[in-house]
Amino acid sequence: MKFTIALALAALAHTASAHYIWHSLVTSSGESSAAIRQPVNNSPVQDVTSGAITCNVSPSAATQTVSVAAGSQVTFKLDNTIYHQGPAAIYLGKAPSTAAAWDGSGANWFKIAEWGATFNPFGFTDFNASELGTTIPAGTPSGDYLLRIEQIGLHVAGAPQWYISCAQITVTGGGSGSPSKVSIPGYVSASDPGLTVNIYDPVPTAYKFLLQTLGLSLLTHSVAAHYIWHELIAGGTTSSAAVRQPINNSPVELGQVSSNDIRCNVSPGAATETVSVAAGSTIGFNLDNTIYHLGPAAIYLGKAPSTAASWDGSGANWFKIAEWGAVFSPSFSFSTLGLSQLTTTIPSNTPAGEYLVRIEQVGLHVAGAPQWYISCAQIKVTGGGSGNPAKVSIPGYVSASGASTLAMRDLVILMQDEKILALPSISITQFRRRTR
């Protein structure tokens, strides 16, 4: 009997130590616990339909609202380490007036970061972390927000546990992005397979969660596996102001290949600069991460009818100037893997004028579900020539039915609805010329 009681007490102590609170926020101005609506204790929220799923159960009022510049880093700190396997995410919710006065109700929330599953062996990328951070997207409109973090323990099959906190922030120097938004509660159903999954038996070989979050089907491998082309390289300098900044690092997916989202990403922020670039000089993009997903990449130029700033990219004005494809020795892969920068040369005979320059990297890690990582920048080509390349429309340059066949281990890739063998020693364009 004494042994049983001792075992029960030990189990209780073990369980309590496995609970945690997101208790402070770190920004460029320092660390603040006063900006957090502090949970009353470290017990998890377990009812996804209750109001507690927004910012926890009856949290205390925050006494500070922290100013955060769009494009800067925010980090939540934990009073422990993440002990339960499961995904995590950070959301922004736009307050109708002040963050302090808002209870988080309404369809004002959008996700800006997520941490998901890894495989071989199966686990979650946030496990054992004591802090999680991300960047406030540069295109986020200025104003007051609630910044919400959640980590979901999936250690008991069918009984997920949410560890949640909200902080009050004011975003400054923002853009004009307009992402899809959701309500919390309402952003996920208790029957979502990502919540009901048994992570131990059988061990998952794939994991999806929160399909409703952005109106997209997001495969949550990890926030580290998503990325943004955030900076233009041109004329020996770099510029983030010339890039139409994506609202977050989520990819454009197969269901959007026929929509305008495939052109310059989903509701990107307006660029505030158009950079002059001499024909024949180097141009490229920097990534805020490294390319994590195997797949090809390409850079396109689109000739603006008037100014780059006023053009939405519509019409058959686009032509490809660079591409990165597959390699086959010593093993099959893609030449982009692990890179944080891609550059090429503006063809010397490119006609002078204003252009959008577009980069895409297509992740092929999920068969039949390619993911596009896209950005557009505004440039003005000077000293050009009289070249007149064949042009395409975007969307329209690739079909959804063709794109759905793409898989990482395919030896064919789809470019403008033509299946072309991607040889390691020559580019696709060269191969097409040789076979015609």
Side-chain angles (χ1 to χ4, degrees):
M1 180 64 175
K2 289 181 180 179
F3 176 78
T4 304
I5 293 171
L7 185 62
L9 290 172
L12 182 61
H14 182 72
T15 301
S17 68
H19 291 173
Y20 26 87
I21 294 174
W22 300 101
H23 70 105
S24 68
L25 179 71
V26 181
T27 66
S28 60
S29 59
E31 184 173 348
S32 171
S33 58
I36 301 280
R37 296 182 177 180
Q38 295 289 343
V40 70
N41 57 37
N42 65 2
S43 296
V45 177
Q46 295 185 276
D47 182 358
V48 73
T49 65
S50 76
I53 204 70
T54 309
C55 290
N56 217 310
V57 179
S58 301
S60 62
T63 58
Q64 183 182 20
T65 299
V66 177
S67 290
V68 181
S72 66
Q73 182 81 8
V74 290
T75 301
F76 282 93
K77 283 191 171 182
L78 210 57
D79 65 349
N80 205 324
T81 57
I82 293 175
Y83 187 87
H84 299 310
Q85 293 274 7
I90 296 177
Y91 290 78
L92 276 175
K94 184 74 167 68
S97 56
T98 66
W102 186 42
D103 64 359
S105 58
N108 291 28
W109 295 92
F110 57 98
K111 183 164 59 173
I112 62 170
E114 60 187 8
W115 291 258
T118 59
F119 305 88
N120 300 317
F122 178 78
F124 285 86
T125 57
D126 57 351
F127 187 59
N128 278 333
S130 59
E131 61 182 48
L132 292 176
T134 189
T135 299
I136 299 291
T140 304
S142 299
D144 273 20
Y145 289 80
L146 290 182
L147 182 68
R148 173 185 180 273
I149 189 167
E150 66 175 16
Q151 193 273 333
I152 307 171
L154 301 179
H155 50 294
V156 180
Q161 297 181 354
W162 275 260
Y163 296 87
I164 306 164
S165 285
C166 290
Q168 298 172 185
I169 66 170
T170 299
V171 173
T172 62
S176 57
S178 182
S180 299
K181 300 179 181 71
V182 296
S183 298
I184 302 175
Y187 74 131
V188 66
S189 165
S191 61
D192 190 301
L195 298 177
T196 60
V197 63
N198 186 328
I199 63 173
Y200 300 112
D201 186 23
V203 175
T205 57
Y207 180 79
K208 287 187 179 182
F209 179 55
L210 297 187
L211 306 189
Q212 299 92 333
T213 301
L214 295 174
L216 307 174
S217 174
L218 298 176
L219 180 70
T220 57
H221 280 295
S222 102
V223 70
H226 291 172
Y227 26 86
I228 294 174
W229 299 101
H230 71 111
E231 199 170 56
L232 177 71
I233 303 165
T237 63
T238 60
S239 171
S240 58
V243 177
R244 296 181 179 181
Q245 295 288 343
I247 191 70
N248 58 35
N249 63 5
S250 296
V252 176
E253 301 202 339
L254 183 61
Q256 299 160 281
V257 73
S258 299
S259 77
N260 290 338
D261 295 342
I262 201 70
R263 189 183 297 145
C264 290
N265 217 309
V266 180
S267 301
T272 58
E273 183 180 12
T274 299
V275 175
S276 291
V277 184
S281 65
T282 297
I283 196 166
F285 287 83
N286 281 326
L287 206 59
D288 66 349
N289 207 320
T290 57
I291 294 175
Y292 185 89
H293 299 309
L294 284 168
I299 295 178
Y300 290 78
L301 281 178
K303 184 75 167 64
S306 56
T307 66
S310 64
W311 186 41
D312 65 357
S314 58
N317 292 28
W318 295 91
F319 57 97
K320 184 167 59 175
I321 62 170
E323 61 189 7
W324 292 259
V327 294
F328 299 86
S329 179
S331 61
F332 178 76
S333 187
F334 282 87
S335 58
T336 55
L337 186 66
L339 298 181
S340 59
Q341 180 185 99
L342 292 176
T343 60
T344 189
T345 301
I346 298 283
S348 58
N349 63 344
T350 302
E354 296 206 10
Y355 290 79
L356 290 181
V357 57
R358 172 186 180 272
I359 189 167
E360 66 174 18
Q361 191 269 332
V362 188
L364 302 180
H365 50 294
V366 182
Q371 297 181 351
W372 279 260
Y373 296 88
I374 306 164
S375 285
C376 291
Q378 298 170 185
I379 65 169
K380 181 177 182 180
V381 174
T382 61
S386 57
N388 187 27
K391 300 180 182 70
V392 296
S393 298
I394 302 175
Y397 75 132
V398 64
S399 72
S401 60
S404 67
T405 66
L406 294 173
M408 185 180 73
R409 293 176 178 82
D410 289 344
L411 300 187
V412 290
I413 70 172
L414 192 75
M415 300 302 290
Q416 297 177 23
D417 291 339
E418 295 183 49
K419 289 184 178 179
I420 308 299
L421 185 63
L423 300 177
S425 58
I426 58 176
S427 74
I428 297 169
T429 304
Q430 291 171 319
F431 182 82
R432 290 172 71 175
R433 289 198 191 106
R434 294 184 188 186
T435 55
R436 289 183 175 177

